[in-house]
Amino acid sequence: MTTREKGTVMDAIQIKRALMRISHEILERNGGAEKLVIIGIRARGDSLAGRIKNYIKNIESIDIPLGVLDITLYRDDFTSINSKPIVGKTEIPFDVTGRIVILIDDVLYTGRTIRSALDAIIDFGRPKEIQLAVLLDRGHRELPIRPDYVGKNVPTSENEHIEVKVEEVDGEDRVILREVKDDD
Amino acid sequence: MKIQNRKYIIKGGRVIDPLQGIDEKLDILIDGDKIEALGHFEKKEGEFVDVRNLVVCPGFIDMHTHLREPGREDEETIETGTKAAAKGGFTAVASMANTEPIIDNSGMIRFIKEKAERDGAVEVYPIGAVTKGQKGEELSEMFDMAKAGCCAFSDDGNPICSSYMMRKALEYSKIVDKTIIAHEEDLFLSKDGEMNEDFNSTKLGLKGIPTISESIMVARDIAILGFIGGNLHIAHLSTKQSLDMVRKAKKNRLSITAEVTPHHLSLVSSCLATYDTNLKMKPPLRTKEDVKALKMGLRDGTIDCIATDHAPHALFEKEMEFGSAPFGIIGLETALGIVCTELIQTGILSLKELIEKMSVNPARILGIEERTLKKGKDANITIFDPNKEWKVDVNNFVSKSTNSPYDGWKLKGYPVMTIVKGKIVYREGEFQQ
Amino acid sequence: MMINGKDLLGIEELSKKEIEVILKTADSMKEISERKIKKVPYLRGKTVVNLFFESSTRTLASFALAEKRLSADSFNLSSSSSSVLKGETLLDTVRNLEAMKIDFVVIRHPMPGAPHFVAKRIKASVINAGDGTHEHPTQALLDLMSLKQKLGTIAGKKVIIIGDILHSRVARSNIWGLKKMGAEVSVCGPPTLIPYKMEDMGIKVFYNLNEALADKDVIYVLRIQKERQEGGLLPSLREYIKIYGITPERLKNAKKDVVIMHPGPINRGIELDPRIADGKHSIILNQVTNGVAVRMAILYLLSGGEGDEDSK
C-alpha cells in the first residue's frame, strides 16, 4: 500500500495553539487541576500528554501526575497479522482510583484504540471519571466513543490516512493528510 | 521358485563380466535356468528382450539383509523382502539370523530355504547364528547348519562380546571353512548411545557412540584371527580407524574381508539435526572424513563388497521421539541408485569394479557359485541403467516397511530388470509370478 | 517483529535480532506482574497445554503464571499424575491435542528432539521447556535478560559456566545465547562431565577452577546431581566440592564485582556455598522473577495456532 501526500492539515503553530486551548478547556471544565491525572497512549499520544501537562503547569503551577499506556496487548485486531507490533512499556506510577483521568491520543478514528485503553485503565483501578482528549478526530467511528476535547475535526474518507508527526519522535510537528494509492 | 523352461535372448546390452574380463556389446542366450551362450544372435528361438544402452552383468548379491521372517512378519516377510531385493537389482540375498526365533539350528535353516523356495522372488542364502540364541555363550551347530545350506555365520544385531567366544567361533568354523560375519560394537562404550560421538552429538544433546566402539572390536578380532585362523568378515564397516586396521591385516595376508553400506557412503552425523529417526542406525552415521576414507577403501580393495544391512521397522516403532525409536533403515531398493550416484558418477569406481563389489566378491566370500555369465552357469543377471535419474518415493516401495532416509532424493542409477535362474522376476516396475 | 517460524525449539536457531526482540518484549511484560490486577487480555480464548513428561515445579509454575497473566486458558498434563500420558505414545498424545484444537503446547520431555517431533505434527506453536540434555531456551532467555539488567550489556563480557556441562541443557542453550549476544564464553568442570569436542562451539574449556575464574565477569553455576557419581562419571560428590565448589575462598580468584548465577534449584553447600547464593554477587532471584516475563514475551511473539497458511 503506498500513500501520496495530499496536504498539511496542521502545522507546528496550529498544533501548539490547539494543545494550549485543550489545556485551558481541561482546567475550565474540571474547575482546576485537583484530582486530575493524565495518561497518554503510546506511541505519540504520550508525547502530546507531556506537553499538555507542561502547559497546565505553566497556567496553574500544578504538576499533574503523568502516565504512559501501551495498549498493544489489549488490541482486538491480531488475527491476520504476521508481524507483531513491539510491546512498549506501560508506566502508570500512581493510583487511578477516585481520580479524573484525562486520556490523550493523537488521532481518534474507529474508537477501538480508546476502547482498549479504557479496558487497560480499568484494570489499574476505578477512576472517578475518564475524559478523552485527541489532537484530531477524523470520523468513521465503529464504537460508541466520543471525545471530550478535540484539537481539530478533519472529515476524511476511508482511502485517506492521517499521519501525525511530533517533535519528540519524528523531529517535527506536522499533521499530514495522505491518500492511499492503488498500485496498478 | 519353479524352474522355468523358456528361452530368452537378452539383446544389445553392454555386458560387463569381471571374471571373464568382458566389457562389450553382447547378446545372452538363456535356456531354462541356465546361460546357454554369449554372442550376437539375430535369428534364434525364444523371446527377444531389448536391453540396448543398459548394463548387463552377473546378478547382484546382498550379503546383509534382514528378512524379519519368522517373528516380525509385520515389518517384512521373505516374500516382500525378496521382491524388494529384485526391484533393487539383486538376484540373491543372504538373510541374517536375528529373527524370532533365531536361526541357530539346521531346522530353522531348512525353514528359511523352503519358504524362500516357495515365496521368494530371488535366491535366499540363510546365515546361521554363531552362538545359540545369539546369546554369545555357546557355539551353535555350525556343521549341521552348513549341511542344511547356510552360507556363513553371524550374530549380527549383537556383537560377540566375549573374546573367548570369538576365538572359539573362528576356531570351530574351520571345520566348514565358512566366514564369521562380525557386527563390531563394544557395548560398554556404546551403551545408551544413539549417534556418532562428535560435535553433532554434543550440539544435539544425544549420547554418542564413539568410533573406538567399533575399532576396538575390529582390532580385537583381527588379533584373534591372526592367532587362531578362520575367516572373518567385518559387517557394515563405518570408520576410518577400522578401515586402516583391515588394510594392514590384508597386507599381512589374514583371511579377512569387509563390507560397507550405501548409507555410510552417502550420509553423515550432521544430517541428524532434524532428529529424523530414519537416520538412526548402528553403526551410526559418521563424519565426512570417514565417508571419504570408506570410498577410498572401496577403490583400493580394502573393502570387498557393498551390502545394504536392510533392516525393516514398523512405522509405529519409528514414528516416535528419537530416543524411543529402534535402530535400522531399509536399503534394498535404493542401494544401486546411491552407489551409482556416490561412486560411479564421481569416478571413484568403474562399472566393472562396482559389479565386483556387488556380485563377484559377495559370492566368493559366502562360498557360493561364482558369479559369471558362462555357458552352463545359472542365469542370474542384473540389468541396469547407470545414468538414468529417478526420484525416490517410499510410497512406491515393495518392502513392507518405509524407514528409508532417502525419500524424495534424486538418484542416478536405476535397476531395470532382474533375472533369477533364467526367470525375469522383475522388469521395469512389474513382477512376474 | 516476530520470531521466525511457529515454534521456539532452541536458541541455536535464533538470530541475535530475534533474541533482542524477545528481551525487549519481556522488559515490557515485566510491568504487568507488578500491577494490582496482573492480567492483560491478549491470549483470551486461546488454549495452552503444559505437557510435562519430567517433573518440574518452578518451570511449570512460571509458564502457568505467564499463560494466565495473558488471560489464556491453560491446563497441565504431566505424566506423573496423569494416566492420559502413561501408556500412550507421544504420537497419539499429539494427535489428541491437535483434535482438541490447542493453540500452544509447552513441552518438557526427557528425550532430545521430542519437541521437534511434536512441532512437525501439530499446527499449534510448540515451546520447548527442556528436552533431555539438548536445550532449555526459555531458561537461557531469562538468564540473558537478568544479565543485561545487571550489566547493561552482554557483548564483550566474560562468562564461565561451571559444573556438569555434559548433562546440562541449560549450559547448551546459554552458550548459544551468550555467544550470539557477543559474550566470551568458557566452561569448567571435570573432564568426564564436559562433552566431546565442546571447543567446537567456540568456547574455552578449563579443568582448573582458579584459572577458570580469574578474569570473569559472570560465574554461572550448574547443579551437580548425585546420579553422576553412580554413573561412574565422578568418584564422589565430596571430591567434586573440593575441586569445583564455589565458596567465598574460591571467589577471591574472581573479579571483585563478579556476578553469580544459577538456574535452580540450588544444592546448597554442594556446588554453591549458601553465603554466596544469598550474597551481594548473586542475581539468582532476579532470574526467577524474569522467568514469567520472558515466557509471556514468547507467548506473545509466537503465532499460536495461526501459523499455517499465512505465516511467512
Side-chain angles (χ1 to χ4, degrees):
Chain A
M1 177 187 87
T2 49
T3 57
R4 175 181 77 82
E5 187 172 320
K6 259 181 112 171
T8 296
V9 176
M10 289 176 91
D11 60 23
I13 299 280
Q14 290 169 312
I15 291 172
K16 183 174 182 183
R17 286 182 188 141
L19 291 176
M20 288 190 78
R21 169 178 53 79
I22 289 174
S23 306
H24 279 285
E25 283 181 348
I26 292 171
L27 289 167
E28 185 182 16
R29 174 159 157 182
N30 293 296
E34 273 180 61
K35 287 200 176 152
L36 291 185
V37 294
I38 301 181
I39 296 181
I41 300 178
R42 275 195 202 278
R44 289 180 176 76
D46 50 342
S47 308
L48 300 176
R51 294 195 211 174
I52 289 181
K53 173 195 158 96
N54 286 334
Y55 294 151
I56 289 180
K57 188 164 180 199
N58 291 339
I59 299 168
E60 299 216 347
S61 308
I62 292 187
D63 236 328
I64 299 183
L66 174 67
V68 180
L69 180 62
D70 183 297
I71 52 104
T72 313
L73 297 171
Y74 288 84
R75 288 170 67 156
D76 62 2
D77 56 350
F78 279 127
T79 44
S80 57
I81 325 175
N82 279 325
S83 184
K84 300 288 173 72
I86 299 186
V87 182
K89 272 203 209 156
T90 291
E91 288 162 52
I92 301 187
F94 46 79
D95 192 358
V96 300
T97 300
R99 312 291 278 267
I100 297 173
V101 174
I102 311 291
L103 181 61
I104 301 181
D105 203 6
D106 54 348
V107 181
L108 176 59
Y109 182 27
T110 60
R112 292 185 190 272
T113 300
I114 302 304
R115 183 210 63 81
S116 301
L118 294 176
D119 275 351
I121 294 171
I122 286 170
D123 271 352
F124 278 88
R126 192 172 193 282
K128 182 168 186 286
E129 216 184 304
I130 300 178
Q131 297 169 2
L132 175 62
V134 294
L135 183 61
L136 288 121
D137 181 348
R138 66 172 284 205
H140 298 286
R141 217 75 79 230
E142 290 173 7
L143 297 172
I145 303 240
R146 53 123 189 82
D148 297 285
Y149 313 95
V150 183
K152 183 165 183 169
N153 279 296
V154 183
T156 57
S157 61
E158 265 159 21
N159 74 332
E160 285 172 328
H161 176 65
I162 298 270
E163 185 185 348
V164 175
K165 288 194 195 236
V166 299
E167 182 83 41
E168 294 90 329
V169 176
D170 311 289
E172 60 163 337
D173 280 346
R174 192 154 76 103
V175 179
I176 307 163
L177 180 66
R178 304 191 91 96
E179 183 177 50
V180 176
K181 268 179 78 171
D182 274 320
D183 301 315
D184 294 340
Chain B
M1 261 178 306
K2 299 193 197 74
I3 306 258
Q4 74 102 21
N5 48 20
R6 293 157 76 163
K7 289 193 208 252
Y8 291 102
I9 302 100
I10 311 294
K11 187 155 179 62
R14 177 182 170 189
V15 175
I16 305 180
D17 186 338
L19 284 179
Q20 291 185 82
I22 295 175
D23 183 351
E24 58 188 281
K25 204 153 159 236
L26 280 175
D27 307 333
I28 303 183
L29 188 57
I30 298 176
D31 189 352
D33 60 336
K34 302 282 184 201
I35 295 181
E36 178 60 37
L38 270 62
H40 297 278
F41 309 113
E42 299 304 325
K43 283 193 175 54
K44 272 287 176 182
E45 195 192 322
E47 181 183 328
F48 276 78
V49 181
D50 181 359
V51 294
R52 274 174 296 171
N53 300 319
L54 300 175
V55 171
V56 178
C57 65
F60 294 157
I61 304 170
D62 182 19
M63 62 175 285
H64 192 144
T65 299
H66 295 272
L67 292 178
R68 302 299 192 215
E69 185 177 355
R72 286 305 302 269
E73 289 85 349
D74 59 316
E75 292 178 328
E76 194 82 281
T77 60
I78 290 176
E79 181 181 346
T80 58
T82 53
K83 270 175 123 159
K87 185 151 183 271
F90 294 94
T91 58
V93 298
S95 62
M96 279 294 175
N98 61 335
T99 47
E100 294 162 29
I102 307 276
I103 316 289
D104 62 359
N105 60 72
S106 55
M108 291 305 296
I109 298 281
R110 268 192 286 273
F111 168 78
I112 300 288
K113 285 189 79 87
E114 277 156 33
K115 201 96 205 304
E117 181 72 19
R118 264 207 328 271
D119 301 341
V122 307
E123 297 203 271
V124 177
Y125 294 98
I127 295 171
V130 174
T131 61
K132 288 187 186 149
Q134 290 189 335
K135 291 216 187 97
E137 290 161 10
E138 285 177 64
L139 291 177
S140 58
E141 293 170 322
M142 292 189 183
F143 180 77
D144 208 25
M145 286 198 282
K147 253 182 67 189
C150 98
C151 62
F153 305 103
S154 181
D155 276 359
D156 179 73
N158 303 318
I160 295 175
C161 298
S162 155
S163 30
Y164 177 76
M165 281 314 296
M166 179 55 104
R167 177 243 168 96
K168 288 292 155 193
L170 282 168
E171 224 172 350
Y172 193 74
S173 69
K174 291 198 269 194
I175 298 179
V176 290
D177 193 26
K178 293 211 173 287
T179 189
I180 306 280
I181 301 175
H183 166 113
E184 304 289 32
E185 181 186 345
D186 180 310
L187 293 179
F188 295 105
L189 287 172
S190 71
K191 185 162 186 274
D192 297 333
E194 303 183 88
M195 62 176 285
N196 188 41
E197 183 170 355
D198 58 28
F199 178 52
N200 292 300
S201 59
T202 293
K203 268 203 298 186
L204 295 174
L206 290 170
K207 187 146 193 277
I209 298 174
T211 52
I212 47 173
S213 163
E214 179 183 275
S215 54
I216 282 182
M217 295 295 270
V218 171
R220 180 197 82 168
D221 293 349
I222 288 177
I224 299 174
L225 180 71
F227 180 75
I228 204 68
N231 306 300
L232 180 67
H233 177 84
I234 310 292
H236 42 53
L237 192 77
S238 71
T239 68
K240 182 171 183 297
Q241 291 99 324
S242 308
L243 184 73
D244 291 341
M245 289 181 208
V246 172
R247 189 180 284 120
K248 190 154 172 240
K250 280 189 168 183
K251 272 213 187 81
N252 293 333
R253 299 182 184 281
L254 293 184
S255 176
I256 183 170
T257 52
E259 74 192 31
V260 69
T261 67
H263 50 271
H264 285 109
L265 298 171
S266 56
L267 297 165
V268 285
S269 68
S270 56
C271 300
L272 281 136
T274 53
Y275 293 101
D276 183 356
T277 55
N278 286 329
L279 293 165
K280 183 177 181 181
M281 83 288 289
K282 273 191 182 172
L285 300 173
R286 306 283 188 186
T287 65
K288 275 207 308 264
E289 287 69 41
D290 294 304
V291 172
K292 203 163 164 222
L294 293 170
K295 287 180 176 172
M296 288 304 119
L298 274 167
R299 201 165 141 111
D300 70 17
T302 308
I303 302 179
D304 303 84
C305 63
I306 294 165
T308 65
D309 195 4
H310 177 91
H313 280 296
L315 185 62
F316 77 86
E317 285 178 316
K318 276 291 203 181
E319 197 165 13
M320 289 240 163
E321 53 276 33
F322 196 84
S324 299
F327 293 91
I329 60 170
I330 50 173
L332 284 169
E333 297 174 66
T334 49
L336 184 60
I338 295 290
V339 301
C340 281
T341 308
E342 295 290 337
L343 302 169
I344 301 292
Q345 299 291 330
T346 50
I348 292 174
L349 288 184
S350 65
L351 282 167
K352 168 171 174 278
E353 289 166 329
L354 181 68
I355 293 163
E356 281 171 341
K357 307 288 181 192
M358 293 186 74
S359 172
V360 176
N361 293 350
R364 176 174 45 87
I365 295 169
L366 295 174
I368 58 183
E369 188 186 67
E370 64 177 6
R371 296 287 140 155
T372 181
L373 304 170
K374 247 181 177 173
K375 181 181 164 82
K377 296 278 184 195
D378 281 346
N380 291 319
I381 304 175
T382 298
I383 301 172
F384 66 100
D385 184 340
N387 297 311
K388 179 166 172 179
E389 196 174 276
W390 59 289
K391 195 164 174 208
V392 179
D393 180 359
V394 294
N395 295 314
N396 288 338
F397 278 8
V398 296
S399 166
K400 256 186 169 179
S401 297
T402 53
N403 52 319
S404 165
Y406 298 114
D407 194 19
W409 280 47
K410 285 212 186 76
L411 298 177
K412 264 199 170 161
Y414 190 68
V416 175
M417 206 181 302
T418 307
I419 300 176
V420 178
K421 285 191 152 164
K423 182 165 158 210
I424 302 182
V425 169
Y426 172 76
R427 183 176 186 165
E428 281 158 303
E430 310 262 302
F431 288 91
Q432 217 183 78
Q433 285 319 311
Chain C
M1 261 294 124
M2 194 148 164
I3 298 178
N4 279 330
K6 69 172 176 79
D7 315 294
L8 177 66
L9 300 175
I11 304 285
E12 188 186 345
E13 47 266 29
L14 289 180
S15 67
K16 178 177 181 192
K17 198 152 186 232
E18 287 171 306
I19 296 178
E20 285 172 338
V21 168
I22 295 170
L23 295 182
K24 189 163 195 256
T25 308
D27 207 25
S28 304
M29 294 293 188
K30 237 187 136 178
E31 174 268 326
I32 297 167
S33 297
E34 269 140 43
R35 300 182 189 179
K36 250 200 317 220
I37 296 184
K38 299 172 180 34
K39 226 186 224 312
V40 291
Y42 177 68
L43 284 184
R44 200 171 69 90
K46 296 282 189 182
T47 315
V48 185
V49 63
N50 296 317
L51 199 57
F52 275 55
F53 291 88
E54 265 181 350
S55 71
S56 142
T57 347
R58 295 138 52 89
T59 307
L60 179 57
S62 186
F63 267 108
L65 276 179
E67 292 149 18
K68 290 184 203 294
R69 288 189 180 159
L70 290 174
S71 300
D73 290 329
S74 145
F75 69 101
N76 302 336
L77 280 181
S78 44
S79 58
S80 47
S81 59
S82 163
S83 59
V84 173
L85 294 185
K86 286 186 194 150
E88 197 180 56
T89 61
L90 188 56
L91 181 63
D92 279 324
T93 303
V94 172
R95 291 218 175 106
N96 289 332
L97 291 176
E98 179 90 288
M100 291 192 269
K101 309 267 187 254
I102 304 283
D103 299 293
F104 291 87
V105 177
V106 175
I107 176 172
R108 169 172 280 200
H109 196 285
M111 285 182 192
H116 305 65
F117 180 87
V118 174
K120 249 194 264 217
R121 293 165 171 79
I122 199 173
K123 286 209 193 80
S125 285
V126 177
I127 301 174
N128 181 1
D131 61 331
T133 47
H134 175 228
E135 284 225 45
H136 191 354
T138 56
Q139 177 71 45
L141 289 166
L142 70 89
D143 288 336
L144 288 174
M145 182 180 179
S146 310
L147 208 48
K148 194 151 189 252
Q149 273 169 358
K150 178 82 185 193
L151 298 176
T153 173
I154 296 175
K157 299 294 177 195
K158 297 192 162 82
V159 183
I160 179 124
I161 305 178
I162 302 185
D164 179 359
I165 313 290
L166 180 62
H167 297 97
S168 173
R169 52 189 170 215
V170 169
R172 282 175 180 77
S173 288
N174 265 303
I175 291 172
W176 291 120
L178 288 164
K179 286 197 68 66
K180 282 174 203 268
M181 300 302 282
E184 210 184 285
V185 188
S186 25
V187 298
C188 175
T192 48
L193 294 180
I194 303 216
Y196 191 64
K197 296 272 182 200
M198 187 103 234
E199 319 77 54
D200 289 359
M201 273 180 102
I203 60 181
K204 254 190 111 176
V205 177
F206 290 92
Y207 302 134
N208 180 310
L209 186 64
N210 289 338
E211 237 181 85
L213 294 180
D215 55 345
K216 304 297 184 293
D217 302 296
V218 184
I219 301 174
Y220 196 112
V221 186
L222 295 175
R223 201 177 136 70
I224 185 78
Q225 287 172 288
K226 194 162 176 296
E227 293 85 78
R228 306 304 164 226
Q229 177 189 330
E230 285 147 22
L233 295 163
L234 279 184
S236 65
L237 280 187
R238 191 172 140 259
E239 180 141 304
Y240 179 82
I241 299 170
K242 275 201 192 156
I243 314 177
Y244 298 104
I246 304 294
T247 60
E249 279 67 57
R250 291 291 200 167
L251 270 198
K252 291 191 182 133
N253 293 299
K255 280 177 154 175
K256 282 225 155 35
D257 53 356
V258 73
V259 177
I260 304 280
M261 300 175 76
H262 191 299
I266 306 174
N267 282 325
R268 286 165 177 272
I270 307 232
E271 68 262 4
L272 191 57
D273 187 297
R275 286 167 286 177
I276 301 178
D278 302 326
K280 61 177 164 75
H281 296 280
S282 153
I283 60 168
I284 296 172
L285 285 176
N286 303 32
Q287 287 173 270
V288 177
T289 311
N290 290 331
V292 178
V294 161
R295 287 160 179 136
M296 287 172 79
I298 300 289
L299 287 163
Y300 171 72
L301 290 166
L302 290 177
S303 57
E306 289 154 9
D308 39 358
E309 315 99 42
D310 300 274
S311 57
K312 287 207 285 176

